[in-house]
């Protein structure tokens, strides 16, 4: 089941975003896909990766290893895309790509909790504002977000 979810995540979130131009546009596409993955009709506000991350955080074994590997891949993908934005001059050279990845994942986690657990109608708006603020901090004056 988890391997199927990893493949679906790549198909639904990652692959379409990688067709976008490098840098900020690609990061935005990853974020949009991530929000759709978490809160769209497909998942109905549930994310198997977040659920298993909590359930298996202290339980050794193959499932935990696969969850860890998939989460590391997601963070690495986001960081690589942010690094491309830095390299292309869209993001400041002071930006830490790992910090961008950390914050994007954090926005997604907060969105999922706010949307599903707390039932907040403004969850998506808040997540989008947080992402836009992240982009604004990262962008150079000539960079485009």
């Amino acid at each position: 089941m988890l391997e199927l979810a990893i493949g679906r995540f790549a198909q639904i979130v990652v692959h379409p975003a990688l067709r976008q131009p490098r840098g900020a546009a690609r990061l935005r596409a990853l974020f949009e896909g991530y929000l759709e993955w978490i809160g769209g009709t497909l998942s109905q506000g549930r994310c198997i990766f977040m659920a298993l991350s909590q359930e298996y955080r202290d339980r050794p074994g193959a499932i935990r290893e696969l969850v860890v590997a998939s989460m590391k891949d997601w963070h690495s993908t986001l960081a690589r895309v942010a690094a491309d934005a830095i390299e292309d001059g869209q993001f400041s050279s002071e930006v830490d790509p790992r910090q961008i990845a950390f914050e994007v994942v954090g926005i997604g986690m907060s969105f999922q909790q706010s949307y599903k657990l707390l039932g907040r109608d403004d969850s998506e708006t808040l997540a989008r504002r947080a992402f836009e603020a992240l982009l604004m901090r990262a962008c150079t004056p000539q960079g485009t977000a």
Side-chain angles (χ1 to χ4, degrees):
M1 179 72 130
L2 180 54
E3 289 172 346
L4 177 64
I6 291 168
R8 298 269 299 149
F9 185 84
Q11 178 185 18
I12 292 169
V13 178
V14 178
H15 296 154
L18 294 179
R19 290 191 285 270
Q20 297 301 312
R22 277 172 48 111
R26 191 171 290 172
L27 186 64
R28 183 181 298 283
L30 285 168
F31 179 74
E32 291 296 329
Y34 188 37
L35 281 189
E36 180 60 29
W37 174 265
I38 296 168
T41 55
L42 181 68
S43 69
Q44 299 173 338
R46 293 181 295 267
C47 177
I48 189 170
F49 303 109
M50 287 184 209
L52 292 178
S53 293
Q54 292 301 310
E55 186 175 339
Y56 285 88
R57 70 176 176 246
D58 297 323
R59 293 170 58 183
I63 293 174
R64 182 184 188 282
E65 290 173 17
L66 192 52
V67 170
V68 169
S70 68
M71 295 306 295
K72 284 183 177 180
D73 286 347
W74 177 229
H75 278 256
S76 293
T77 298
L78 292 165
R80 190 170 48 252
V81 168
D84 290 344
I86 295 165
E87 184 178 307
D88 293 351
Q90 296 173 20
F91 287 178
S92 165
S93 61
E94 303 297 313
V95 168
D96 178 355
R98 291 176 55 231
Q99 182 69 36
I100 296 288
F102 182 88
E103 291 188 41
V104 169
V105 171
I107 292 166
M109 292 172 75
S110 184
F111 167 67
Q112 194 266 347
Q113 181 183 64
S114 181
Y115 174 69
K116 189 64 178 176
L117 181 64
L118 304 179
R120 291 188 60 162
D121 292 335
D122 60 350
S123 299
E124 186 173 338
T125 300
L126 295 171
R128 289 181 186 287
R129 276 191 211 149
F131 181 74
E132 290 304 322
L134 173 62
L135 285 183
M136 292 303 294
R137 287 191 320 270
C139 283
T140 61
Q142 69 273 13
T144 56

